Amino acid sequence: LQTAEQEIQEYFDAAVDIARKAGHVVFEAFHKEKNIDTKSCGTDLVTETDKYIEELIIRTLREKFPSHSFIGEESASAGKKSVFTNNPTWIIDPIDGTTNFVHRYPMVAICIGLAINKQMEVGIVFNPIKDQMFTARRGTGAFCNGKQIHCSSVTDLSKALVITELGSSRDPEIVNVVMSNLRRLAEKPIAVHSIRLQGSAALNMCSVASGEAELYYECGIHVWDIAAAGIIVEEAGGVTLDPSGKPLDLLARRILAAGNKELADQVSQYLDCIDLPRD
Ligand code: IPD
Ligand code: CA
Ligand code: CA
Ligand code: CA
């Protein structure tokens, strides 16, 4: 009989293994011509590689762990309702940064997270273009290519490098809120060091986990964008919250990831979010 720890190790190893295999496929496809489709609007892109990778990951993990549940972006887009229960549930984003993938901008990641009793236990975020494998298991720290990573200890918002995103919606009301948040952070009295938009929610969170940036926030994300990367931030010593400063609700479509609680509390006073339908 396996201990719980051995079981988690087995899940972790399986996730790293399939992330690497999927990474080969993404790497091979990266510089080739792509078959591009749109989903909710003209700026919400998907390629045949996104669909192929998700299918590959779910098929592989289901063969190993037939009793487990699965939530994936492209399955959800194809109409499969995301059900999040206490059952071990794999949460998968086959390519985070599809727009980057289409444009050959090298910030793309395969995200595989495992929740048990609705708590994240394992998180894998792999950028196959830069060959960066970010990993975390609850209680054991966060790593990039096997080297432990830590969040920034900067607590002063005016000294922060902030990451956010435009997102894929061009609804004027949503774009307005994005811009007014940006403006508030850019202008005095806050005047952050600078603001970055990298095009991958998960890699933004890995930047926070690595201490490259102090914080990341976005409204409009989905559970598959933040599940795997969230535990990486926490295990690197950071916090994941709702942008209002309240506890994070994985399905509520919004995230604030910061190097520390002090910084998160400062920025949350300035951030607005539009309520979106839950995952
Ligand atoms: C998107 C990226 C992007 C973020 C969007 C996500 P996708 O994921 O993470 O940075 O702004 O909110 O939907 O569609 O490339 O997997
Ligand atoms: Ca995504
Ligand atoms: Ca995706
Ligand atoms: Ca997408």
Side-chain angles (χ1 to χ4, degrees):
L1 206 65
Q2 278 189 322
T3 64
E5 207 171 307
Q6 285 170 329
E7 231 169 65
I8 301 274
Q9 183 67 45
E10 193 190 335
Y11 303 150
F12 177 89
D13 291 342
V16 170
D17 194 52
I18 189 59
R20 260 199 210 290
K21 290 202 174 96
H24 284 300
V25 179
V26 172
F27 186 87
E28 285 304 313
F30 189 72
H31 290 286
K32 295 205 176 122
E33 277 306 307
K34 296 164 183 97
N35 219 324
I36 304 157
D37 220 333
T38 58
K39 297 200 285 188
S40 59
C41 61
T43 43
D44 182 4
L45 310 180
V46 64
T47 71
E48 54 196 342
T49 309
D50 296 72
K51 296 176 198 166
Y52 174 78
I53 297 289
E54 180 159 322
E55 199 270 325
L56 172 73
I57 294 172
I58 294 181
R59 179 165 30 89
T60 306
L61 292 174
R62 186 170 271 146
E63 261 167 35
K64 288 199 161 104
F65 314 114
S67 68
H68 289 188
S69 306
F70 294 86
I71 293 174
E73 176 177 8
E74 305 313 334
S75 311
S77 297
K80 187 176 182 287
K81 179 96 191 83
S82 301
V83 269
F84 194 38
T85 65
N86 286 339
N87 198 46
T89 302
W90 294 91
I91 304 173
I92 295 151
D93 190 341
I95 300 180
D96 186 51
T98 295
T99 305
N100 288 343
F101 178 68
V102 164
H103 289 268
R104 304 185 178 97
Y105 187 85
M107 293 296 278
V108 301
I110 292 140
C111 308
I112 306 177
L114 175 66
I116 301 177
N117 295 322
K118 295 197 178 127
Q119 168 161 273
M120 297 311 302
E121 293 291 342
V122 169
I124 310 294
V125 174
F126 180 44
N127 178 344
I129 313 306
K130 297 194 165 185
D131 193 22
Q132 287 185 317
M133 176 75 79
F134 295 92
T135 59
R137 269 177 308 150
R138 179 154 304 284
T140 64
F143 297 82
C144 177
N145 294 344
K147 191 171 173 287
Q148 191 161 10
I149 53 174
H150 301 279
C151 286
S152 156
S153 55
V154 168
T155 53
D156 180 351
L157 186 53
S158 71
K159 296 200 168 65
L161 183 62
V162 174
I163 312 180
T164 189
E165 291 293 341
L166 178 56
S168 60
S169 174
R170 296 295 173 269
D171 175 329
E173 201 193 344
I174 292 177
V175 173
N176 246 327
V177 173
V178 170
M179 294 305 169
S180 69
N181 284 333
L182 278 176
R183 178 174 269 281
R184 232 168 278 152
L185 296 182
E187 282 177 347
K188 284 182 176 171
I190 308 174
V192 295
H193 269 181
S194 198
I195 300 175
R196 301 284 178 264
L197 292 80
Q198 308 193 101
S200 160
L203 290 173
N204 293 342
M205 292 171 77
C206 290
S207 286
V208 172
S210 304
E212 297 168 353
E214 273 66 38
L215 69 94
Y216 157 66
Y217 69 87
E218 185 175 351
C219 301
I221 47 85
H222 292 274
V223 62
W224 44 80
D225 297 315
I226 58 165
I231 180 171
I232 295 173
V233 170
E234 285 161 16
E235 287 298 320
V239 295
T240 59
L241 291 165
D242 186 90
S244 66
K246 296 204 186 96
L248 179 68
D249 173 348
L250 270 176
L251 304 180
R253 312 275 313 274
R254 40 219 266 172
I255 184 78
L256 166 58
N260 51 71
K261 184 72 170 43
E262 215 171 318
L263 203 57
D265 286 344
Q266 282 176 56
V267 76
S268 65
Q269 316 169 42
Y270 300 105
L271 299 177
D272 285 335
C273 258
I274 289 180
D275 268 333
L276 294 167
R278 294 170 61 78
D279 276 326

